[in-house]
Amino acid sequence: NAGVTQTPKFQVLKTGQSMTLQCAQDMNHEYMSWYRQDPGMGLRLIHYSVGAGITDQGEVPNGYNVSRSTTEDFPLRLLSAAPSQTSVYFCASSYLMFSGANVLTFGAGSRLTVL
Amino acid sequence: TQLLEQSPQFLSIQEGENLTVYCNSSSVFSSLQWYRQEPGEGPVLLVTVVTGGEVKKLKRLTFQFGDARKDSSLHITAAQPGDTGLYLCAGVNAGNNRKLIWGLGTSLAVNP
């Protein structure tokens, strides 16, 4: 059981380039999300999805796009990379709970450097 | 804005010592989660506490949720090098179960 798989593990971009971070989960989780983790800032939610065809913004969505065409996949697109987007990105998924909390399963992360 | 403050931010101790880390807020949470993150990996859930005053034990780790559901603590007994990592708490917004409020974490180093 692979859980949450993120690719690539490392990526270096030049300012203005675009790229897609891939995320796939094999647990049939309805909820998927993208976070970025920066020193002194903690984990910040970028975008999330509660099911195929449904996406919504988190607290830091600018400069990023997402789509959810299948339950399994939730790619994160950087439209025009900026140095401020240098970070470690985590994809996380969970079952949708109607009561109680979503308990997240995280991927191993993608470290992105924008020069 | 809801905030979760974790303390201490950094902790370096010798193997065998005991330690407590704290997660505090002025807001009430419906539940609180603790995660541990090792270098180069994503956070992994340790425990969820739901009821005010609840105590949960996971081997040498003891988690407590405050009576008012505004704070939580994690106590580690006889720390081992394998306990090294970043400990994160995340509170569940009482009004929106899908929104997690994250603390900045406590970075723990246990030296042999």
Side-chain angles (χ1 to χ4, degrees), chain B residues 1-3 24-29 68-71:
Chain B
T1 303
Q2 288 184 298
L3 293 173
N24 296 308
S25 177
S26 58
S27 302
V28 176
F29 295 103
R69 291 184 288 130
K70 294 181 178 181
D71 54 82

Side-chain angles (χ1 to χ4, degrees), chain A residues 12-70:
Chain A
V12 179
L13 290 177
K14 294 181 179 178
T15 297
Q17 288 184 318
S18 63
M19 77 156 299
T20 299
L21 298 177
Q22 302 291 345
C23 175
Q25 53 92 8
D26 61 359
M27 297 170 286
N28 205 30
H29 285 169
E30 302 98 335
Y31 180 88
M32 296 187 75
S33 57
W34 277 102
Y35 284 88
R36 59 179 292 175
Q37 187 175 37
D38 303 286
M41 302 293 288
L43 283 164
R44 292 182 291 170
L45 182 65
I46 304 171
H47 285 285
Y48 66 97
S49 168
V50 298
I54 305 169
T55 63
D56 208 345
Q57 296 180 351
E59 58 182 300
V60 288
N62 292 342
Y64 307 95
N65 273 0
V66 292
S67 59
R68 184 94 179 271
S69 56
T70 67

